[in-house]
Amino acid sequence: MKKKIDVLIIGAGPTGLTLALALSRYGLTFRIIERASGPSVVSKAIGIQARSLELFARLGVADALMENAIKINQGNLYVNGAWQAKLDFTDLNTPFPFVTLLPQSETERILETRLKEDGHTVERETELTGFAQFPTFVTASIRKHDVTETVDASFIIGADGANSFVRRELGLPFSGKSFKESWALADIEVDWPLSSEEVHIFFSDHGVIESFPLQSNLFRITGNLTNGTVPTDHSAIEDFLKNRAKVPFTLKKVHWYSMFRVHNRIIEKFGHHRIYLIGDAAHINSPVGGQGMNTGIADAMNLAWKLWCVHRFKASFPLLDSYSVERREAARGILRSTNLATELLQINVPFLLPLQEKVIRNSLKITPLHHYVTNRIAQLNSNYQSSRLFVTQGNFPLLTPRPGEPMPYSEVVNPRTKKNELLLRRADRNFLLLLFLPREAGEQTLLPFKELAYSYPDLFETVSIHQELKDDGVVDQGGELARKFGIKQAGLYLIRPDGYIAYRQQGLKIQSFSRYLERLLYAR
């Protein structure tokens, strides 16, 4: 008799591997299959944003990724070869105030290596050929070479890319548009007087070109094809670079080149009973800003903890339905911003260049605008304000962290080591309950929360935040954290496993918090 597994993952790109790692930490049974015979050998997506590194830190792979990557602190913008402005990422409120550049092939290798360490392997040269949904499970047909196997799973997750078989079998329209202009892409070795630790974007009367360092003198360049002609040899790529960058250089070698069309597409609903789509299977967008892979990684982490709650606590399906609501809202926002950025980059009207130069030079000097752009690129300002899963009890000051927003970067003092530590690291797989305690708090204050924790074993990690040194919990030096979070005398914040604030309350009334957990898990 065949054994039913919890999850069957279709596709072993960065999104599918991220989901597999998360499910492994939650103890769910799963299989991950991939049509390709081996890992990707080309660089494809290269940008890992700060928000993704925060998520990868929870999976224990952020350090390995950064070890092999280039950290970008700054992006430079030029018009006709003259420097105009910079995008500075060092002020981002995150443990990772930079953009990380790493070839997708290397990202996949690191994620798959970690998955093997957890005791799981990707089943390669294996494809999904069909599936059928039933009230309590899904039956899938998978094929390796000429051998077909039937697999029963509680859920199927389609992480099988832009040409998703799962999406096509469900008959889901992939609505959106394709841009008229094609783009060229190449990995080149070049000597020029520009930093190999920064990104460079050039605007010119011939079009735009973007340059991203991969190694000391190896760069990924992309640019729009204004006349439709694809540069296909060393000489043509040299002219392509010369006409747009307008800086002195020596092109030493072209490693590979390609052409691609830009598409912005999204499905209407990411979940269909027991089948869910993540990453490029659900949405694709312009590569401008390096958002696509990172959006898929966030999809995987959002869905993983909800699958865990269904498996571990028998949570109801409205919790799983929230995956589609939240992630479609986030993906639509990213599609809109990358669509606008692509349209602006493709403006190629020579007499408008002086105006373009002034706008670029002056706009990024406006601090709030610069802050918005860098946080948008880093995906640190994404939120789920339209979801019903987020609740506030009590009155909080404006501009304090709200439910539906990512937990802000916060440090506290560990009373044992007397050193600062990152608060979010206190829970890397479950919820994090922050209890802001009054000065006179005793055991009786904490007892109701301990009893509630027994009712939901392993659901949340509790951190007591004291105003002075105690034997347990952490210390909020001078009450700075309480002020930052808008806590008046006592209160609590609940942080989800994907790092978003789920709930906040003034005071420590257990009844309000308990009712919220019931509503979250069981829609009561």
Side-chain angles (χ1 to χ4, degrees), residues 405-470:
E405 296 177 348
M407 161 81 169
Y409 178 54
S410 305
E411 290 187 340
V412 288
V413 177
N414 185 315
R416 293 184 178 84
T417 65
K418 305 297 189 295
K419 293 180 179 179
N420 284 6
E421 67 173 39
L422 185 60
L423 192 54
L424 198 55
R425 295 282 173 85
R426 280 297 184 109
D428 60 3
R429 59 184 291 274
N430 44 9
F431 284 78
L432 177 65
L433 176 61
L434 305 179
L435 295 180
F436 291 84
L437 300 174
R439 192 175 298 276
E440 68 281 3
E443 183 63 27
Q444 287 302 114
T445 306
L446 295 173
L447 185 59
F449 293 95
K450 291 181 178 180
E451 291 175 345
L452 186 63
Y454 293 141
S455 302
Y456 298 100
D458 202 35
L459 179 63
F460 55 85
E461 180 82 19
T462 303
V463 176
S464 302
I465 301 176
H466 299 281
Q467 297 180 29
E468 55 190 28
L469 279 174
K470 300 277 186 178

Side-chain angles (χ1 to χ4, degrees), residues 72 74-78 83-87 89 194-195 197-203 209 211 360:
I72 301 297
Q74 179 173 308
N76 300 283
L77 287 81
Y78 306 78
W83 184 90
Q84 302 297 328
K86 69 177 180 180
L87 287 169
F89 296 98
L194 301 175
S195 171
E197 297 179 350
E198 298 174 353
V199 169
H200 307 281
I201 303 174
F202 304 91
F203 298 87
I209 195 166
S211 169
I360 292 170

